Amino acid sequence: MEYFAGLDVSLRSCALCIVDARGGVAFERELACDVGEIAQCLKSFAHPIARIGFEAGTMSQHLFYGLTNNGFDVVCMEARQVSAALSAMRNKTDKNDARGIAHILRTGGFSPVHMKSREAHGTRALLSCRKALLNKTIDLANEVRGLLKIFGLRLPKTVQHGSFDAVDRSRRGLGARHVAAVGCPARVISAVPRSGSAGQTRGPE
């Protein structure tokens, strides 16, 4: 007889439920959201697991490749379909959600989600971090421009990246306290690497 394992995953813990092909609950347990602990629990089960399923979420990629590398057949389910199916349940608990996911997996009433490779996720993480860093740099540059305007100092509309701190220093004419306040973000702006069209900081018109 085939056995199906459903996981209701949260950030630090997950609920595990294993059902047989007839829908009977064979095993239930609360586990830490750790690939090693989940894999060990599944391997200690008396029967082979035909398939493991969970809904798409922030931990999906980590669990998918971790459990796949441990030799399990893993499927990530479309979250909206799973949510719609589980919404009919009277008592919404992690334990009951895991049981519902196991039954959805057993009956096949789901759409699998394509799981991107770790390399693709790594590239996406680098691009996201770069975008966030550049946005913060622009915010800092505009903040420095605004602070200098208070003292009648106006920077050029366009400043080549890497020279922002030098341009800022040459135009200050401020007291020591004001130089310290403005100089710190200016040095941060010059320290952030940029490339291409992002190599300039532009002030508001």
Side-chain angles (χ1 to χ4, degrees), residues 3-25:
Y3 290 84
F4 303 88
L7 290 171
D8 181 60
V9 181
S10 62
L11 183 62
R12 302 190 185 280
S13 64
C14 67
L16 168 66
C17 178
I18 301 176
V19 299
D20 58 34
R22 292 193 294 266
V25 176

Side-chain angles (χ1 to χ4, degrees), residues 10-202:
S10 62
L11 183 62
R12 302 190 185 280
S13 64
C14 67
L16 168 66
C17 178
I18 301 176
V19 299
D20 58 34
R22 292 193 294 266
V25 176
F27 181 83
E28 287 181 317
R29 179 171 293 180
E30 188 83 13
L31 300 169
C33 191
D34 176 75
V35 171
E37 185 171 340
I38 296 171
Q40 183 179 1
C41 181
L42 292 172
K43 288 178 180 178
S44 66
F45 186 65
H47 306 281
I49 304 297
R51 180 173 283 187
I52 304 169
F54 46 81
E55 61 180 316
T58 55
M59 299 295 292
S60 298
Q61 195 257 4
H62 174 65
L63 291 176
F64 181 88
Y65 285 106
L67 293 174
T68 299
N69 291 338
N70 275 275
F72 295 103
D73 181 12
V74 186
V75 61
C76 182
M77 307 178 187
E78 210 281 323
R80 287 176 295 181
Q81 289 183 342
V82 175
S83 178
L86 297 181
S87 63
M89 298 173 60
R90 179 171 298 178
N91 296 320
K92 285 282 291 179
T93 64
D94 293 345
K95 179 180 178 180
N96 288 340
D97 284 352
R99 186 179 299 181
I101 291 171
H103 285 301
I104 295 171
L105 184 65
R106 177 180 64 86
T107 58
F110 64 89
S111 296
V113 174
H114 170 70
M115 194 60 60
K116 296 178 182 178
S117 66
R118 288 188 180 272
E119 291 76 14
H121 278 281
T123 301
R124 183 179 180 182
L126 288 174
L127 293 173
S128 297
C129 289
R130 180 182 182 275
K131 182 179 179 181
L133 192 60
L134 292 181
N135 287 337
K136 295 300 181 184
T137 303
I138 293 172
D139 290 341
L140 276 175
N142 290 334
E143 181 69 19
V144 171
R145 289 175 183 276
L147 291 172
L148 291 175
K149 285 179 183 178
I150 297 174
F151 303 100
L153 301 177
R154 289 166 290 181
L155 294 180
K157 288 184 177 180
T158 302
V159 178
Q160 187 69 30
H161 181 69
S163 61
F164 191 95
D165 190 30
V167 172
D168 179 44
R169 286 177 184 275
S170 67
R171 292 174 174 258
R172 280 180 191 158
L174 305 175
R177 282 172 51 190
H178 302 122
V179 169
V182 176
C184 184
R187 288 191 294 273
V188 171
I189 294 167
S190 295
V192 176
R194 292 188 172 211
S195 61
S197 61
Q200 297 177 341
T201 58
R202 292 185 59 86

